[in-house]
PDB file of all heavy atoms in Angstrom:
ATOM      1  N   CYS T   1      -1.559  90.553 -69.036  1.00 96.00           N
ATOM      2  CA  CYS T   1      -1.576  91.827 -68.309  1.00 96.00           C
ATOM      3  C   CYS T   1      -1.341  93.009 -69.251  1.00 96.00           C
ATOM      4  O   CYS T   1      -1.901  94.099 -69.039  1.00 96.00           O
ATOM      5  CB  CYS T   1      -0.517  91.819 -67.209  1.00 96.00           C
ATOM      6  SG  CYS T   1      -0.894  90.728 -65.817  1.00 96.00           S
ATOM      7  N   ARG T   2      -0.544  92.802 -70.289  1.00 95.00           N
ATOM      8  CA  ARG T   2      -0.248  93.902 -71.219  1.00 95.00           C
ATOM      9  C   ARG T   2      -1.498  94.343 -71.987  1.00 95.00           C
ATOM     10  O   ARG T   2      -1.533  95.458 -72.513  1.00 95.00           O
ATOM     11  CB  ARG T   2       0.847  93.485 -72.203  1.00 95.00           C
ATOM     12  CG  ARG T   2       2.240  93.427 -71.579  1.00 95.00           C
ATOM     13  CD  ARG T   2       3.319  93.267 -72.628  1.00 95.00           C
ATOM     14  NE  ARG T   2       4.641  93.246 -72.023  1.00 95.00           N
ATOM     15  CZ  ARG T   2       5.309  92.141 -71.733  1.00 95.00           C
ATOM     16  NH1 ARG T   2       4.766  90.951 -72.004  1.00 95.00           N
ATOM     17  NH2 ARG T   2       6.512  92.201 -71.174  1.00 95.00           N
ATOM     18  N   THR T   3      -2.510  93.485 -72.057  1.00 93.00           N
ATOM     19  CA  THR T   3      -3.751  93.859 -72.738  1.00 93.00           C
ATOM     20  C   THR T   3      -4.681  94.638 -71.827  1.00 93.00           C
ATOM     21  O   THR T   3      -5.751  95.066 -72.263  1.00 93.00           O
ATOM     22  CB  THR T   3      -4.486  92.602 -73.248  1.00 93.00           C
ATOM     23  OG1 THR T   3      -4.921  91.809 -72.131  1.00 93.00           O
ATOM     24  CG2 THR T   3      -3.563  91.766 -74.131  1.00 93.00           C
ATOM     25  N   ARG T   4      -4.304  94.811 -70.580  1.00 92.00           N
ATOM     26  CA  ARG T   4      -5.122  95.516 -69.602  1.00 92.00           C
ATOM     27  C   ARG T   4      -4.482  96.837 -69.227  1.00 92.00           C
ATOM     28  O   ARG T   4      -3.274  97.012 -69.333  1.00 92.00           O
ATOM     29  CB  ARG T   4      -5.321  94.647 -68.353  1.00 92.00           C
ATOM     30  CG  ARG T   4      -6.113  93.377 -68.640  1.00 92.00           C
ATOM     31  CD  ARG T   4      -6.097  92.413 -67.469  1.00 92.00           C
ATOM     32  NE  ARG T   4      -7.037  91.326 -67.708  1.00 92.00           N
ATOM     33  CZ  ARG T   4      -8.259  91.264 -67.201  1.00 92.00           C
ATOM     34  NH1 ARG T   4      -8.695  92.236 -66.410  1.00 92.00           N
ATOM     35  NH2 ARG T   4      -9.064  90.254 -67.464  1.00 92.00           N
ATOM     36  N   GLY T   5      -5.266  97.740 -68.750  1.00 86.00           N
ATOM     37  CA  GLY T   5      -4.756  99.048 -68.388  1.00 86.00           C
ATOM     38  C   GLY T   5      -3.938  99.033 -67.114  1.00 86.00           C
ATOM     39  O   GLY T   5      -4.171  98.234 -66.208  1.00 86.00           O
ATOM     40  N   GLY T   6      -2.957  99.933 -67.051  1.00 90.00           N
ATOM     41  CA  GLY T   6      -2.194 100.132 -65.828  1.00 90.00           C
ATOM     42  C   GLY T   6      -0.894  99.375 -65.737  1.00 90.00           C
ATOM     43  O   GLY T   6      -0.022  99.724 -64.939  1.00 90.00           O
ATOM     44  N   TRP T   7      -0.740  98.313 -66.544  1.00 94.00           N
ATOM     45  CA  TRP T   7       0.464  97.502 -66.453  1.00 94.00           C
ATOM     46  C   TRP T   7       1.547  98.060 -67.367  1.00 94.00           C
ATOM     47  O   TRP T   7       1.428  98.012 -68.576  1.00 94.00           O
ATOM     48  CB  TRP T   7       0.169  96.058 -66.833  1.00 94.00           C
ATOM     49  CG  TRP T   7      -0.616  95.296 -65.802  1.00 94.00           C
ATOM     50  CD1 TRP T   7      -1.956  95.067 -65.804  1.00 94.00           C
ATOM     51  CD2 TRP T   7      -0.098  94.673 -64.625  1.00 94.00           C
ATOM     52  NE1 TRP T   7      -2.313  94.335 -64.702  1.00 94.00           N
ATOM     53  CE2 TRP T   7      -1.190  94.081 -63.951  1.00 94.00           C
ATOM     54  CE3 TRP T   7       1.177  94.554 -64.070  1.00 94.00           C
ATOM     55  CZ2 TRP T   7      -1.051  93.382 -62.764  1.00 94.00           C
ATOM     56  CZ3 TRP T   7       1.324  93.855 -62.879  1.00 94.00           C
ATOM     57  CH2 TRP T   7       0.231  93.281 -62.241  1.00 94.00           C
ATOM     58  N   THR T   8       2.610  98.557 -66.779  1.00 93.00           N
ATOM     59  CA  THR T   8       3.779  98.995 -67.538  1.00 93.00           C
ATOM     60  C   THR T   8       4.843  97.899 -67.488  1.00 93.00           C
ATOM     61  O   THR T   8       4.761  96.964 -66.689  1.00 93.00           O
ATOM     62  CB  THR T   8       4.349 100.284 -66.947  1.00 93.00           C
ATOM     63  OG1 THR T   8       4.821 100.017 -65.605  1.00 93.00           O
ATOM     64  CG2 THR T   8       3.284 101.381 -66.900  1.00 93.00           C
ATOM     65  N   ASP T   9       5.849  98.024 -68.350  1.00 93.00           N
ATOM     66  CA  ASP T   9       6.931  97.038 -68.341  1.00 93.00           C
ATOM     67  C   ASP T   9       7.643  97.018 -66.996  1.00 93.00           C
ATOM     68  O   ASP T   9       8.020  95.949 -66.492  1.00 93.00           O
ATOM     69  CB  ASP T   9       7.929  97.342 -69.458  1.00 93.00           C
ATOM     70  CG  ASP T   9       7.366  97.022 -70.842  1.00 93.00           C
ATOM     71  OD1 ASP T   9       6.369  96.265 -70.914  1.00 93.00           O
ATOM     72  OD2 ASP T   9       7.901  97.546 -71.836  1.00 93.00           O
ATOM     73  N   THR T  10       7.823  98.188 -66.408  1.00 94.00           N
ATOM     74  CA  THR T  10       8.485  98.258 -65.102  1.00 94.00           C
ATOM     75  C   THR T  10       7.662  97.553 -64.035  1.00 94.00           C
ATOM     76  O   THR T  10       8.198  96.795 -63.210  1.00 94.00           O
ATOM     77  CB  THR T  10       8.702  99.725 -64.697  1.00 94.00           C
ATOM     78  OG1 THR T  10       9.514 100.369 -65.674  1.00 94.00           O
ATOM     79  CG2 THR T  10       9.369  99.821 -63.331  1.00 94.00           C
ATOM     80  N   LEU T  11       6.363  97.773 -64.055  1.00 94.00           N
ATOM     81  CA  LEU T  11       5.486  97.142 -63.072  1.00 94.00           C
ATOM     82  C   LEU T  11       5.441  95.628 -63.276  1.00 94.00           C
ATOM     83  O   LEU T  11       5.424  94.859 -62.305  1.00 94.00           O
ATOM     84  CB  LEU T  11       4.079  97.729 -63.175  1.00 94.00           C
ATOM     85  CG  LEU T  11       3.165  97.577 -61.944  1.00 94.00           C
ATOM     86  CD1 LEU T  11       3.802  98.211 -60.720  1.00 94.00           C
ATOM     87  CD2 LEU T  11       1.805  98.203 -62.221  1.00 94.00           C
ATOM     88  N   LEU T  12       5.447  95.188 -64.513  1.00 95.00           N
ATOM     89  CA  LEU T  12       5.445  93.753 -64.785  1.00 95.00           C
ATOM     90  C   LEU T  12       6.740  93.103 -64.301  1.00 95.00           C
ATOM     91  O   LEU T  12       6.707  92.012 -63.717  1.00 95.00           O
ATOM     92  CB  LEU T  12       5.258  93.511 -66.281  1.00 95.00           C
ATOM     93  CG  LEU T  12       3.836  93.658 -66.823  1.00 95.00           C
ATOM     94  CD1 LEU T  12       3.836  93.572 -68.340  1.00 95.00           C
ATOM     95  CD2 LEU T  12       2.918  92.597 -66.236  1.00 95.00           C
ATOM     96  N   ASP T  13       7.867  93.749 -64.539  1.00 95.00           N
ATOM     97  CA  ASP T  13       9.137  93.201 -64.073  1.00 95.00           C
ATOM     98  C   ASP T  13       9.162  93.059 -62.554  1.00 95.00           C
ATOM     99  O   ASP T  13       9.739  92.109 -62.022  1.00 95.00           O
ATOM    100  CB  ASP T  13      10.300  94.091 -64.523  1.00 95.00           C
ATOM    101  CG  ASP T  13      10.560  93.993 -66.013  1.00 95.00           C
ATOM    102  OD1 ASP T  13      10.107  93.004 -66.626  1.00 95.00           O
ATOM    103  OD2 ASP T  13      11.186  94.916 -66.572  1.00 95.00           O
ATOM    104  N   GLU T  14       8.521  94.005 -61.882  1.00 94.00           N
ATOM    105  CA  GLU T  14       8.536  94.010 -60.426  1.00 94.00           C
ATOM    106  C   GLU T  14       7.489  93.090 -59.828  1.00 94.00           C
ATOM    107  O   GLU T  14       7.742  92.413 -58.826  1.00 94.00           O
ATOM    108  CB  GLU T  14       8.317  95.451 -59.936  1.00 94.00           C
ATOM    109  CG  GLU T  14       7.957  95.598 -58.459  1.00 94.00           C
ATOM    110  CD  GLU T  14       9.054  95.133 -57.523  1.00 94.00           C
ATOM    111  OE1 GLU T  14      10.211  95.010 -57.964  1.00 94.00           O
ATOM    112  OE2 GLU T  14       8.743  94.888 -56.340  1.00 94.00           O
ATOM    113  N   ARG T  15       6.305  93.028 -60.421  1.00 96.00           N
ATOM    114  CA  ARG T  15       5.163  92.390 -59.772  1.00 96.00           C
ATOM    115  C   ARG T  15       4.621  91.162 -60.484  1.00 96.00           C
ATOM    116  O   ARG T  15       3.615  90.603 -60.056  1.00 96.00           O
ATOM    117  CB  ARG T  15       4.030  93.406 -59.581  1.00 96.00           C
ATOM    118  CG  ARG T  15       4.470  94.560 -58.694  1.00 96.00           C
ATOM    119  CD  ARG T  15       3.337  95.305 -58.028  1.00 96.00           C
ATOM    120  NE  ARG T  15       3.854  96.050 -56.894  1.00 96.00           N
ATOM    121  CZ  ARG T  15       3.834  95.625 -55.651  1.00 96.00           C
ATOM    122  NH1 ARG T  15       3.283  94.465 -55.363  1.00 96.00           N
ATOM    123  NH2 ARG T  15       4.340  96.351 -54.665  1.00 96.00           N
ATOM    124  N   CYS T  16       5.268  90.731 -61.540  1.00 97.00           N
ATOM    125  CA  CYS T  16       4.885  89.493 -62.219  1.00 97.00           C
ATOM    126  C   CYS T  16       6.169  88.739 -62.528  1.00 97.00           C
ATOM    127  O   CYS T  16       6.862  89.055 -63.502  1.00 97.00           O
ATOM    128  CB  CYS T  16       4.082  89.795 -63.489  1.00 97.00           C
ATOM    129  SG  CYS T  16       3.491  88.323 -64.355  1.00 97.00           S
ATOM    130  N   ALA T  17       6.500  87.756 -61.699  1.00 96.00           N
ATOM    131  CA  ALA T  17       7.813  87.129 -61.800  1.00 96.00           C
ATOM    132  C   ALA T  17       7.759  85.721 -61.222  1.00 96.00           C
ATOM    133  O   ALA T  17       6.733  85.274 -60.698  1.00 96.00           O
ATOM    134  CB  ALA T  17       8.858  87.967 -61.068  1.00 96.00           C
ATOM    135  N   THR T  18       8.881  85.031 -61.295  1.00 95.00           N
ATOM    136  CA  THR T  18       8.969  83.692 -60.717  1.00 95.00           C
ATOM    137  C   THR T  18       9.014  83.791 -59.191  1.00 95.00           C
ATOM    138  O   THR T  18       9.302  84.843 -58.624  1.00 95.00           O
ATOM    139  CB  THR T  18      10.223  82.960 -61.207  1.00 95.00           C
ATOM    140  OG1 THR T  18      11.383  83.714 -60.819  1.00 95.00           O
ATOM    141  CG2 THR T  18      10.197  82.798 -62.715  1.00 95.00           C
ATOM    142  N   VAL T  19       8.755  82.657 -58.549  1.00 94.00           N
ATOM    143  CA  VAL T  19       8.787  82.613 -57.087  1.00 94.00           C
ATOM    144  C   VAL T  19      10.167  82.990 -56.579  1.00 94.00           C
ATOM    145  O   VAL T  19      10.305  83.672 -55.554  1.00 94.00           O
ATOM    146  CB  VAL T  19       8.383  81.216 -56.583  1.00 94.00           C
ATOM    147  CG1 VAL T  19       8.467  81.144 -55.060  1.00 94.00           C
ATOM    148  CG2 VAL T  19       6.968  80.859 -57.043  1.00 94.00           C
ATOM    149  N   HIS T  20      11.216  82.572 -57.283  1.00 91.00           N
ATOM    150  CA  HIS T  20      12.578  82.886 -56.841  1.00 91.00           C
ATOM    151  C   HIS T  20      12.810  84.395 -56.768  1.00 91.00           C
ATOM    152  O   HIS T  20      13.457  84.889 -55.845  1.00 91.00           O
ATOM    153  CB  HIS T  20      13.599  82.251 -57.793  1.00 91.00           C
ATOM    154  CG  HIS T  20      13.786  80.791 -57.586  1.00 91.00           C
ATOM    155  ND1 HIS T  20      12.881  79.851 -58.046  1.00 91.00           N
ATOM    156  CD2 HIS T  20      14.765  80.085 -56.952  1.00 91.00           C
ATOM    157  CE1 HIS T  20      13.301  78.651 -57.710  1.00 91.00           C
ATOM    158  NE2 HIS T  20      14.441  78.763 -57.052  1.00 91.00           N
ATOM    159  N   LYS T  21      12.275  85.137 -57.746  1.00 91.00           N
ATOM    160  CA  LYS T  21      12.464  86.587 -57.743  1.00 91.00           C
ATOM    161  C   LYS T  21      11.572  87.280 -56.720  1.00 91.00           C
ATOM    162  O   LYS T  21      11.799  88.454 -56.398  1.00 91.00           O
ATOM    163  CB  LYS T  21      12.198  87.141 -59.143  1.00 91.00           C
ATOM    164  CG  LYS T  21      13.254  86.749 -60.157  1.00 91.00           C
ATOM    165  CD  LYS T  21      13.046  87.448 -61.484  1.00 91.00           C
ATOM    166  CE  LYS T  21      14.146  87.101 -62.471  1.00 91.00           C
ATOM    167  NZ  LYS T  21      13.966  87.793 -63.779  1.00 91.00           N
ATOM    168  N   ALA T  22      10.554  86.588 -56.220  1.00 92.00           N
ATOM    169  CA  ALA T  22       9.622  87.199 -55.271  1.00 92.00           C
ATOM    170  C   ALA T  22      10.061  87.018 -53.825  1.00 92.00           C
ATOM    171  O   ALA T  22       9.456  87.612 -52.927  1.00 92.00           O
ATOM    172  CB  ALA T  22       8.220  86.612 -55.458  1.00 92.00           C
ATOM    173  N   GLN T  23      11.081  86.201 -53.574  1.00 87.00           N
ATOM    174  CA  GLN T  23      11.498  85.997 -52.187  1.00 87.00           C
ATOM    175  C   GLN T  23      11.939  87.310 -51.569  1.00 87.00           C
ATOM    176  O   GLN T  23      12.625  88.119 -52.192  1.00 87.00           O
ATOM    177  CB  GLN T  23      12.638  84.983 -52.108  1.00 87.00           C
ATOM    178  CG  GLN T  23      13.151  84.787 -50.681  1.00 87.00           C
ATOM    179  CD  GLN T  23      13.815  83.447 -50.482  1.00 87.00           C
ATOM    180  OE1 GLN T  23      13.356  82.440 -50.971  1.00 87.00           O
ATOM    181  NE2 GLN T  23      14.914  83.427 -49.738  1.00 87.00           N
ATOM    182  N   GLY T  24      11.514  87.514 -50.327  1.00 86.00           N
ATOM    183  CA  GLY T  24      11.821  88.749 -49.623  1.00 86.00           C
ATOM    184  C   GLY T  24      10.816  89.848 -49.883  1.00 86.00           C
ATOM    185  O   GLY T  24      10.914  90.923 -49.292  1.00 86.00           O
ATOM    186  N   LYS T  25       9.828  89.602 -50.759  1.00 92.00           N
ATOM    187  CA  LYS T  25       8.806  90.601 -51.074  1.00 92.00           C
ATOM    188  C   LYS T  25       7.453  90.099 -50.603  1.00 92.00           C
ATOM    189  O   LYS T  25       7.310  88.935 -50.205  1.00 92.00           O
ATOM    190  CB  LYS T  25       8.809  90.890 -52.579  1.00 92.00           C
ATOM    191  CG  LYS T  25      10.166  91.378 -53.075  1.00 92.00           C
ATOM    192  CD  LYS T  25      10.210  91.495 -54.585  1.00 92.00           C
ATOM    193  CE  LYS T  25      11.604  91.892 -55.062  1.00 92.00           C
ATOM    194  NZ  LYS T  25      11.709  91.956 -56.535  1.00 92.00           N
ATOM    195  N   GLU T  26       6.469  90.963 -50.652  1.00 94.00           N
ATOM    196  CA  GLU T  26       5.140  90.596 -50.166  1.00 94.00           C
ATOM    197  C   GLU T  26       4.102  91.456 -50.857  1.00 94.00           C
ATOM    198  O   GLU T  26       4.422  92.435 -51.536  1.00 94.00           O
ATOM    199  CB  GLU T  26       5.051  90.783 -48.648  1.00 94.00           C
ATOM    200  CG  GLU T  26       5.293  92.211 -48.210  1.00 94.00           C
ATOM    201  CD  GLU T  26       5.345  92.365 -46.696  1.00 94.00           C
ATOM    202  OE1 GLU T  26       5.807  91.424 -46.003  1.00 94.00           O
ATOM    203  OE2 GLU T  26       4.925  93.429 -46.206  1.00 94.00           O
ATOM    204  N   ALA T  27       2.840  91.088 -50.689  1.00 96.00           N
ATOM    205  CA  ALA T  27       1.733  91.864 -51.243  1.00 96.00           C
ATOM    206  C   ALA T  27       0.460  91.447 -50.528  1.00 96.00           C
ATOM    207  O   ALA T  27       0.371  90.340 -49.975  1.00 96.00           O
ATOM    208  CB  ALA T  27       1.597  91.649 -52.744  1.00 96.00           C
ATOM    209  N   ASP T  28      -0.525  92.333 -50.542  1.00 96.00           N
ATOM    210  CA  ASP T  28      -1.806  91.972 -49.948  1.00 96.00           C
ATOM    211  C   ASP T  28      -2.427  90.789 -50.670  1.00 96.00           C
ATOM    212  O   ASP T  28      -3.019  89.901 -50.053  1.00 96.00           O
ATOM    213  CB  ASP T  28      -2.772  93.169 -49.996  1.00 96.00           C
ATOM    214  CG  ASP T  28      -2.413  94.247 -48.991  1.00 96.00           C
ATOM    215  OD1 ASP T  28      -1.828  93.905 -47.941  1.00 96.00           O
ATOM    216  OD2 ASP T  28      -2.689  95.422 -49.247  1.00 96.00           O
ATOM    217  N   VAL T  29      -2.331  90.780 -51.988  1.00 97.00           N
ATOM    218  CA  VAL T  29      -2.914  89.713 -52.804  1.00 97.00           C
ATOM    219  C   VAL T  29      -1.829  89.084 -53.664  1.00 97.00           C
ATOM    220  O   VAL T  29      -1.039  89.784 -54.293  1.00 97.00           O
ATOM    221  CB  VAL T  29      -4.038  90.261 -53.718  1.00 97.00           C
ATOM    222  CG1 VAL T  29      -4.637  89.137 -54.567  1.00 97.00           C
ATOM    223  CG2 VAL T  29      -5.121  90.938 -52.898  1.00 97.00           C
ATOM    224  N   VAL T  30      -1.798  87.756 -53.685  1.00 98.00           N
ATOM    225  CA  VAL T  30      -0.874  87.017 -54.539  1.00 98.00           C
ATOM    226  C   VAL T  30      -1.675  86.037 -55.384  1.00 98.00           C
ATOM    227  O   VAL T  30      -2.531  85.310 -54.872  1.00 98.00           O
ATOM    228  CB  VAL T  30       0.182  86.257 -53.721  1.00 98.00           C
ATOM    229  CG1 VAL T  30       0.922  85.240 -54.587  1.00 98.00           C
ATOM    230  CG2 VAL T  30       1.177  87.224 -53.097  1.00 98.00           C
ATOM    231  N   ILE T  31      -1.401  86.045 -56.679  1.00 98.00           N
ATOM    232  CA  ILE T  31      -1.948  85.038 -57.593  1.00 98.00           C
ATOM    233  C   ILE T  31      -0.820  84.070 -57.921  1.00 98.00           C
ATOM    234  O   ILE T  31       0.196  84.465 -58.495  1.00 98.00           O
ATOM    235  CB  ILE T  31      -2.493  85.677 -58.880  1.00 98.00           C
ATOM    236  CG1 ILE T  31      -3.567  86.721 -58.559  1.00 98.00           C
ATOM    237  CG2 ILE T  31      -3.074  84.598 -59.798  1.00 98.00           C
ATOM    238  CD1 ILE T  31      -4.068  87.479 -59.787  1.00 98.00           C
ATOM    239  N   LEU T  32      -0.981  82.825 -57.516  1.00 98.00           N
ATOM    240  CA  LEU T  32       0.025  81.798 -57.765  1.00 98.00           C
ATOM    241  C   LEU T  32      -0.427  80.956 -58.961  1.00 98.00           C
ATOM    242  O   LEU T  32      -1.449  80.268 -58.898  1.00 98.00           O
ATOM    243  CB  LEU T  32       0.206  80.911 -56.534  1.00 98.00           C
ATOM    244  CG  LEU T  32       1.100  79.672 -56.708  1.00 98.00           C
ATOM    245  CD1 LEU T  32       2.507  80.073 -57.132  1.00 98.00           C
ATOM    246  CD2 LEU T  32       1.136  78.859 -55.409  1.00 98.00           C
ATOM    247  N   LEU T  33       0.328  81.020 -60.046  1.00 97.00           N
ATOM    248  CA  LEU T  33      -0.006  80.297 -61.266  1.00 97.00           C
ATOM    249  C   LEU T  33       0.738  78.961 -61.287  1.00 97.00           C
ATOM    250  O   LEU T  33       1.967  78.931 -61.271  1.00 97.00           O
ATOM    251  CB  LEU T  33       0.389  81.124 -62.492  1.00 97.00           C
ATOM    252  CG  LEU T  33      -0.185  82.550 -62.563  1.00 97.00           C
ATOM    253  CD1 LEU T  33       0.367  83.279 -63.779  1.00 97.00           C
ATOM    254  CD2 LEU T  33      -1.702  82.517 -62.616  1.00 97.00           C
ATOM    255  N   LEU T  34      -0.014  77.871 -61.313  1.00 96.00           N
ATOM    256  CA  LEU T  34       0.567  76.539 -61.382  1.00 96.00           C
ATOM    257  C   LEU T  34       0.305  75.862 -62.726  1.00 96.00           C
ATOM    258  O   LEU T  34       1.139  75.118 -63.222  1.00 96.00           O
ATOM    259  CB  LEU T  34       0.021  75.646 -60.258  1.00 96.00           C
ATOM    260  CG  LEU T  34       0.336  76.087 -58.825  1.00 96.00           C
ATOM    261  CD1 LEU T  34      -0.312  75.148 -57.837  1.00 96.00           C
ATOM    262  CD2 LEU T  34       1.839  76.148 -58.594  1.00 96.00           C
ATOM    263  N   GLY T  35      -0.887  76.119 -63.301  1.00 91.00           N
ATOM    264  CA  GLY T  35      -1.222  75.505 -64.575  1.00 91.00           C
ATOM    265  C   GLY T  35      -1.219  73.995 -64.481  1.00 91.00           C
ATOM    266  O   GLY T  35      -1.580  73.391 -63.464  1.00 91.00           O
ATOM    267  N   GLY T  36      -0.783  73.338 -65.565  1.00 87.00           N
ATOM    268  CA  GLY T  36      -0.669  71.888 -65.577  1.00 87.00           C
ATOM    269  C   GLY T  36       0.790  71.484 -65.488  1.00 87.00           C
ATOM    270  O   GLY T  36       1.278  71.050 -64.462  1.00 87.00           O
ATOM    271  N   GLY T  37       1.490  71.688 -66.584  1.00 76.00           N
ATOM    272  CA  GLY T  37       2.932  71.454 -66.564  1.00 76.00           C
ATOM    273  C   GLY T  37       3.308  69.998 -66.769  1.00 76.00           C
ATOM    274  O   GLY T  37       2.498  69.089 -66.604  1.00 76.00           O
ATOM    275  N   ARG T  38       4.553  69.781 -67.101  1.00 83.00           N
ATOM    276  CA  ARG T  38       5.066  68.425 -67.290  1.00 83.00           C
ATOM    277  C   ARG T  38       5.290  67.763 -65.940  1.00 83.00           C
ATOM    278  O   ARG T  38       5.589  68.441 -64.944  1.00 83.00           O
ATOM    279  CB  ARG T  38       6.370  68.474 -68.077  1.00 83.00           C
ATOM    280  CG  ARG T  38       6.212  69.004 -69.505  1.00 83.00           C
ATOM    281  CD  ARG T  38       7.537  68.977 -70.247  1.00 83.00           C
ATOM    282  NE  ARG T  38       8.511  69.859 -69.620  1.00 83.00           N
ATOM    283  CZ  ARG T  38       8.608  71.158 -69.876  1.00 83.00           C
ATOM    284  NH1 ARG T  38       7.779  71.734 -70.730  1.00 83.00           N
ATOM    285  NH2 ARG T  38       9.526  71.886 -69.276  1.00 83.00           N
ATOM    286  N   PRO T  39       5.166  66.425 -65.877  1.00 85.00           N
ATOM    287  CA  PRO T  39       5.364  65.733 -64.591  1.00 85.00           C
ATOM    288  C   PRO T  39       6.708  66.055 -63.945  1.00 85.00           C
ATOM    289  O   PRO T  39       6.782  66.280 -62.733  1.00 85.00           O
ATOM    290  CB  PRO T  39       5.254  64.255 -64.985  1.00 85.00           C
ATOM    291  CG  PRO T  39       4.405  64.242 -66.206  1.00 85.00           C
ATOM    292  CD  PRO T  39       4.749  65.504 -66.952  1.00 85.00           C
TER     293      PRO T  39
END
């Protein structure tokens, strides 16, 4: 996101975070990143 326009550190802290930090918040669009990860 930092390589794209419009994303500030404040906006990233608020709108790009773990699921735990997102509880109680909402948005029209959510991108859920799962990747692969360890078993």
Side-chain angles (χ1 to χ4, degrees):
C1 289
R2 286 191 179 97
T3 66
R4 295 170 171 261
W7 287 98
T8 64
D9 288 342
T10 300
L11 201 58
L12 282 172
D13 288 341
E14 165 64 18
R15 299 202 161 264
C16 183
T18 60
V19 178
H20 283 78
K21 290 187 177 181
Q23 177 156 319
K25 302 173 184 177
E26 60 186 33
D28 287 331
V29 180
V30 167
I31 303 175
L32 172 59
L33 305 176
L34 297 178
R38 296 182 297 275

